[in-house]
Amino acid sequence: MKLKEEKELQTITAEYEKALQLFHKRSYHKAEAAFKQIIDTYKDSEFYSVLEIQTRVKVHYAITESKLHPLATKLETVQDHIWEGVFQLNAGNIDKALERFSHAEKDNCKDAYLFYLMAAAYLKKEDTANSLRYVDKCIKKDPSYKILVYNEPDFEALLQNQDFLNLVE
């Protein structure tokens, strides 16, 4: 490796490591600026090894941009709210999931699957009363959910609850 290439590679590597530290500390504004500086500084490098690192920097820059400027999803239909709720539930954002599910329910959605999701979300919040209320609504809407709810690991915590057992048996 030529001396000029080696020096440039060492410099970009050190700068990249500092930017990554900021990124991992979730100092996204500082990380964004550091990544942008690296991209601008090395955009015309003649060395493949330096451009390879710069490509990695571009990926992290894009991730940082998405953290700082998340895309707003326009929820237009009841189904949009349900899917966003499922996404939030899977991401562990229970309150946001319940907001989406409640919106769908207020829009007159009386789907058993929605009630099932709401029961699961309330159970994750350790709100047994509301969870059981939605299990009941779900099963009344579609009795075939008895089997699904009874065998779903998310509802395992209710297997000792007599009210739950009365609903699913």
Side-chain angles (χ1 to χ4, degrees):
M1 190 178 296
K2 298 176 189 166
L3 187 58
K4 184 178 176 188
E5 180 180 4
E6 190 173 312
K7 185 173 179 167
E8 196 170 309
L9 184 60
Q10 286 175 346
T11 306
I12 192 174
T13 300
E15 291 174 18
Y16 182 43
E17 286 175 4
K18 287 177 187 174
L20 278 177
Q21 287 174 356
L22 293 169
F23 178 83
H24 291 301
K25 288 179 183 174
R26 297 183 181 180
S27 298
Y28 296 125
H29 288 288
K30 291 178 182 177
E32 177 187 39
F35 291 137
K36 181 74 171 128
Q37 179 66 38
I38 294 168
I39 292 167
D40 291 343
T41 302
Y42 298 96
K43 68 181 177 211
D44 296 322
S45 178
E46 62 188 272
F47 305 113
Y48 176 79
S49 57
V50 172
L51 293 174
E52 184 179 337
I53 292 175
Q54 190 202 39
T55 301
R56 292 179 190 171
V57 170
K58 288 178 181 179
V59 169
H60 277 89
Y61 179 76
I63 294 169
T64 304
E65 285 283 295
S66 72
K67 296 281 188 186
L68 291 172
H69 313 287
L71 294 176
T73 306
K74 188 173 181 182
L75 306 176
E76 296 176 348
T77 68
V78 169
Q79 196 61 47
D80 291 343
H81 286 277
I82 293 172
W83 290 126
E84 178 64 19
V86 170
F87 174 81
Q88 294 298 336
L89 186 62
N90 289 335
N93 302 321
I94 311 307
D95 290 329
K96 288 182 181 179
L98 284 169
E99 280 179 36
R100 297 297 102 225
F101 297 149
S102 294
H103 189 279
E105 185 179 29
K106 286 176 187 165
D107 257 2
N108 209 25
C109 180
K110 304 293 183 215
D111 186 63
Y113 181 59
L114 173 63
F115 298 146
Y116 169 85
L117 292 168
M118 292 181 83
Y122 277 115
L123 189 58
K124 285 185 184 283
K125 285 187 58 115
E126 299 180 6
D127 184 344
T128 304
N130 273 319
S131 181
L132 289 172
R133 184 166 65 94
Y134 280 99
V135 166
D136 185 42
K137 287 177 101 169
C138 173
I139 292 170
K140 283 181 179 171
K141 187 68 179 171
D142 185 347
S144 69
Y145 271 85
K146 279 185 180 186
I147 297 166
L148 183 64
V149 170
Y150 183 77
N151 291 299
E152 174 60 46
D154 287 346
F155 292 99
E156 200 170 281
L158 294 177
L159 288 176
Q160 304 301 318
N161 183 306
Q162 191 57 51
D163 293 330
F164 175 75
L165 295 174
N166 291 342
L167 290 170
V168 296
E169 291 178 343

